[in-house]
Amino acid sequence: MPLDVSSRIAAGEVVERPSSVVKELVENSLDAHATKIDIECRRSGIDLICVADNGCGIPSSQVEIAFQRYATSKIGTVDDLVNVRSLGFRGEALPSIAAVADVELSTCVEGAPLGSYVYLHGGDVVQRESKPRAPGTTIAIRRLFSHFPARFKFLKSESTENSHSALVISQYALAYPLVSFSLLLEDRLALRSPGSGDVRDVVTQLYGTELGKAMVPVEVSVDSLHITGLVAPASLSRAGRGHQSTFVNQRWVRSPLLQRAIDEAYRGLLPDGRHAIAILNIQLPPDRVDVNVHPSKAQVKFADEQSMFRAVRDAVHSTLAKTSIASEAQHLSSWGSAATQSTWSVREMGSQSPSFETTPIPSSTNSASLPPLRILGQIATTYVVAEGPDGMYVIDQHAAHERITYDRLIERREGRELEVQGLLEPLAIELTPAEDAVLASVKEEMATLGFTLEPFGGRSYLLRSVPAVLAGGDAASTVREILLDLSRGSQNRTLEGLAETAACHAAVRAGQVLTPQEMRHLITQLEQCTQPRTCPHGRPTIIHFSLGQLEKLFGRRA
Ligand code: ADP
Ligand code: MG
């Protein structure tokens, strides 16, 4: 295979997308012990990615070597590989980037009279000069993937790329609170971290003052394992895992094991579908963890998974318990404990006015439509049980409400009047850098749905109106949820996609007690939907047990 081809294939593993370039360059700056790192992206990194640091710099004699494959100054022996302390160690990033872009590098080490400047095109140095520079390194990447049309074509939209880059920098800012980061996206300051050394300051910058104040420090040491960070009380949760960050020896990692450990610590404290907010940094001897699992170095393998899981779970759990937040959260989510609540709500049903219980829901002629239903009660604070003309009907309250909300959001498009609820007091929303980057691309769709967001400086917006069907709910968090979903690339940007997320987020959850009136209202509204039997994702909203089936189950009939 020609070298050119093989190096491009290898490059693809390291530089998948502009944000992976951002990640590799910032990791190099961090390995160089920089305390100030300034990042800039133009056209989501396609036109320019520039990272400037005040780190140790590269000695003039080493500049060309840095661009050679597998050349790294960070490890020298196999022994070192077992004891990796730096973020980089494979010596692949710079050559891989140089294979798919033009690279300009200027660097200078402390005490040197002059620094070096090189320009690389097609992986080769085409210009070299000596130039003065303060100690540190600036590297500018231009025309990324321009000789790599296949990769170029598959890039998601520009705002998705920006949002990924913002996420990368946000995570490193959380992991390195002593470093001051700034990120310019298309000439706009997306993020600046103070470098004060206090991770709480970074949280305030990224997630706003409420979380900055409310999060509780974790600090636990077990043998050679140190777990530090911040966790939020269970009363503050999110619908996704976007606010969970895990670092191993200050490397940002995605670890299902650590996710499960966090889930376990919050078990019983969070309602269904909600996730904890946590920032955890795990320090352990480098030989107890393998970071060389994948070229992107985002996966890790722990030597002792069991004890790692237990240590993290217990650290978070004891922190929550200690601060008496757990008990407060228990109280807040007590409506989520299914067993006790369901008996209660069924019993309460008995004392309700009989006229309610026996009023059948009028049925329409639509074939997909629901038969007349007599509501019997709620079980497991999740399902509504009803009797129909032929047996028993079990309705998933969340799925049903999701369908109703989705239809209301979408039907407005079809010529009907926009049902928008203006807010008397506009709601101030502070977006994270990643959410903010994605908003630009869906502003119009958001407006069509009824969310009016007015810029209010920086990453702040005033929410002036919401879709009427969502009025009274937590509209700000619905907006956030939509943007978060998009920034992760997990949802499409069509109106339908946005409406799906909004509906799922705003719908009543499993675990929520419904009054008889609420149940009846739910069924009446479901009845009016054109496709009442499935939720927008296509899952059933209602399951029917016919009398025949029941008879069979009871052995009354063969
Ligand atoms: P790795 O980080 O795995 O060693 P890279 O290809 O990312 O490999 O970088 C190659 C080498 O270039 C590094 O080992 C380091 O010596 C040098 N280098 C790259 N970026 C910087 C920087 N910002 N400051 C100082 N040295 C750097
Ligand atoms: Mg590197």
Coordinates of all heavy atoms in Angstrom, one line a residue, residues 338-353 356-357 376-380 513-516 519:
A338 N -43.3 3.5 43.4 CA -44.5 3.0 42.8 C -45.4 2.2 43.7 O -46.6 2.5 43.8 CB -44.1 2.1 41.6
A339 N -44.9 1.2 44.5 CA -45.8 0.3 45.2 C -46.8 1.0 46.1 O -48.0 0.7 46.0 CB -44.9 -0.7 45.9
T340 N -46.2 1.8 47.0 CA -47.1 2.4 47.9 C -48.1 3.4 47.3 O -49.3 3.4 47.7 CB -46.3 3.2 49.0 OG1 -45.4 4.0 48.3 CG2 -45.6 2.3 49.9
Q341 N -47.7 4.1 46.3 CA -48.5 5.1 45.7 C -49.7 4.5 44.9 O -50.8 5.0 44.9 CB -47.7 6.0 44.7 CG -46.7 6.8 45.4 CD -47.3 7.9 46.3 OE1 -48.5 8.1 46.2 NE2 -46.5 8.5 47.2
S342 N -49.4 3.4 44.3 CA -50.5 2.9 43.4 C -51.7 2.4 44.2 O -52.8 2.7 43.9 CB -50.0 1.7 42.6 OG -49.5 0.7 43.4
T343 N -51.4 1.7 45.4 CA -52.6 1.3 46.2 C -53.3 2.5 46.6 O -54.6 2.5 46.6 CB -52.1 0.5 47.4 OG1 -51.0 1.1 47.9 CG2 -51.8 -0.9 47.1
W344 N -52.6 3.5 47.0 CA -53.2 4.7 47.5 C -54.1 5.3 46.4 O -55.3 5.6 46.6 CB -52.1 5.8 47.9 CG -52.7 7.1 48.2 CD1 -53.3 7.5 49.3 CD2 -52.8 8.2 47.3 NE1 -53.7 8.8 49.2 CE2 -53.4 9.2 48.0 CE3 -52.3 8.4 46.0 CZ2 -53.6 10.5 47.4 CZ3 -52.5 9.6 45.4 CH2 -53.2 10.7 46.1
S345 N -53.6 5.4 45.2 CA -54.4 6.1 44.2 C -55.6 5.3 43.7 O -56.6 5.8 43.4 CB -53.5 6.5 43.0 OG -53.0 5.4 42.4
V346 N -55.4 4.0 43.8 CA -56.6 3.1 43.4 C -57.7 3.3 44.5 O -58.9 3.4 44.2 CB -56.2 1.7 43.2 CG1 -57.5 0.8 43.1 CG2 -55.4 1.5 41.9
R347 N -57.2 3.3 45.8 CA -58.2 3.4 46.8 C -58.9 4.7 46.8 O -60.1 4.8 46.9 CB -57.5 3.2 48.2 CG -58.1 2.0 49.0 CD -57.5 2.0 50.3 NE -56.3 1.1 50.4 CZ -55.1 1.4 50.9 NH1 -55.0 2.6 51.3 NH2 -54.2 0.6 50.9
E348 N -58.1 5.7 46.5 CA -58.7 7.0 46.4 C -59.8 7.1 45.3 O -60.8 7.7 45.5 CB -57.7 8.1 46.1 CG -58.2 9.5 46.4 CD -57.3 10.5 45.7 OE1 -57.0 10.4 44.5 OE2 -56.8 11.4 46.4
M349 N -59.5 6.3 44.3 CA -60.5 6.3 43.2 C -61.9 5.9 43.7 O -62.9 6.5 43.3 CB -60.1 5.2 42.2 CG -59.0 5.6 41.2 SD -59.5 6.8 40.1 CE -60.9 6.0 39.4
G350 N -61.9 5.0 44.7 CA -63.2 4.5 45.2 C -64.0 5.6 45.8 O -65.2 5.5 45.8
S351 N -63.3 6.6 46.3 CA -64.1 7.6 47.1 C -64.5 8.7 46.1 O -65.1 9.7 46.6 CB -63.2 8.1 48.2 OG -62.1 8.7 47.7
Q352 N -64.1 8.6 44.9 CA -64.4 9.7 44.0 C -65.9 9.6 43.5 O -66.6 8.6 43.7 CB -63.6 9.6 42.7 CG -62.1 9.9 43.0 CD -61.9 11.3 43.5 OE1 -62.6 12.3 43.0 NE2 -61.1 11.5 44.5
S353 N -66.4 10.7 43.0 CA -67.8 10.7 42.6 C -68.1 9.6 41.6 O -67.3 9.4 40.6 CB -68.2 12.0 42.0 OG -67.8 12.1 40.7
F356 N -68.1 10.2 37.7 CA -66.9 10.2 36.9 C -66.5 8.8 36.5 O -66.2 8.6 35.3 CB -65.8 10.8 37.8 CG -64.4 10.3 37.3 CD1 -63.9 10.9 36.2 CD2 -63.7 9.4 38.0 CE1 -62.7 10.5 35.7 CE2 -62.5 9.0 37.5 CZ -61.9 9.5 36.4
E357 N -66.6 7.9 37.4 CA -66.1 6.5 37.1 C -66.9 5.8 36.0 O -66.4 5.0 35.3 CB -66.1 5.6 38.3 CG -65.0 6.0 39.2 CD -64.7 4.9 40.2 OE1 -64.5 3.8 39.8 OE2 -64.9 5.2 41.4
L376 N -60.5 2.7 35.6 CA -60.5 2.0 36.8 C -59.5 2.5 37.8 O -59.7 2.5 39.0 CB -60.3 0.5 36.6 CG -61.3 -0.2 35.7 CD1 -60.9 -1.6 35.4 CD2 -62.7 -0.1 36.3
G377 N -58.4 3.0 37.3 CA -57.4 3.5 38.3 C -56.0 3.5 37.6 O -55.8 3.2 36.4
Q378 N -55.0 3.7 38.5 CA -53.6 3.8 38.0 C -52.9 2.7 38.7 O -53.1 2.5 39.9 CB -53.1 5.2 38.4 CG -51.7 5.5 37.8 CD -51.2 6.8 38.4 OE1 -51.6 7.2 39.5 NE2 -50.3 7.4 37.7
I379 N -52.0 2.0 38.0 CA -51.1 1.0 38.7 C -49.7 1.4 38.5 O -49.3 1.9 37.5 CB -51.4 -0.4 38.3 CG1 -51.2 -0.6 36.8 CG2 -52.7 -0.9 38.8 CD1 -51.3 -2.1 36.4
A380 N -48.9 1.1 39.6 CA -47.5 1.4 39.5 C -47.2 2.8 39.2 O -46.1 3.1 38.6 CB -46.7 0.4 38.6
V513 N -48.1 10.4 40.2 CA -49.5 10.1 40.5 C -50.5 11.0 39.7 O -50.3 12.2 39.7 CB -49.8 10.3 42.1 CG1 -51.2 10.0 42.4 CG2 -48.8 9.5 42.9
L514 N -51.5 10.3 39.1 CA -52.5 11.1 38.4 C -53.8 11.1 39.2 O -54.2 10.0 39.7 CB -52.7 10.5 37.0 CG -51.5 10.5 36.1 CD1 -51.9 9.9 34.7 CD2 -50.9 11.9 35.9
T515 N -54.5 12.2 39.3 CA -55.8 12.2 39.9 C -56.8 11.6 38.9 O -56.5 11.6 37.7 CB -56.2 13.7 40.2 OG1 -56.4 14.4 39.0 CG2 -55.2 14.4 41.1
P516 N -58.0 11.2 39.4 CA -59.0 10.7 38.4 C -59.3 11.7 37.3 O -59.4 11.3 36.1 CB -60.2 10.5 39.3 CG -59.6 10.3 40.7 CD -58.4 11.1 40.8
M519 N -56.5 11.6 34.8 CA -56.5 10.4 34.0 C -57.6 10.5 32.9 O -57.4 10.2 31.7 CB -56.8 9.2 34.8 CG -55.6 8.7 35.6 SD -55.9 7.1 36.4 CE -56.4 7.7 38.1

